[in-house]
Amino acid sequence: MIVCESDLLIIRQLTLADAEFMLRLLNEKSFTRNISDKKVRNITQAEKHLQ
């Protein structure tokens, strides 16, 4: 579902199809250092995090 759209940007709600991206994002050193370690370590955990 698209939330907001412009000529240069589309903002949409995350879906389970975004689990791989979410897994990479949540395990970036800068994310865990500056935001939080969500302890998401595999695709199944990423899918649960998105739900």
Side-chain angles (χ1 to χ4, degrees):
M1 174 174 158
I2 294 177
V3 175
C4 185
E5 185 174 359
S6 74
D7 291 338
L8 301 175
L9 178 68
I10 296 174
I11 298 174
R12 63 175 177 78
Q13 290 185 344
L14 295 169
T15 68
L16 291 179
D18 298 307
E20 188 175 323
F21 163 75
M22 188 59 60
L23 179 61
R24 287 193 320 267
L25 174 66
L26 294 176
N27 286 287
E28 284 283 328
K29 287 182 183 180
S30 59
F31 188 93
T32 58
R33 182 177 56 246
N34 297 308
I35 298 173
S36 177
D37 182 357
K38 302 294 185 184
K39 298 187 180 6
V40 174
R41 302 293 184 251
N42 58 52
I43 288 290
T44 302
Q45 292 173 336
E47 290 170 347
K48 287 180 183 178
H49 182 79
L50 285 168
Q51 290 175 337

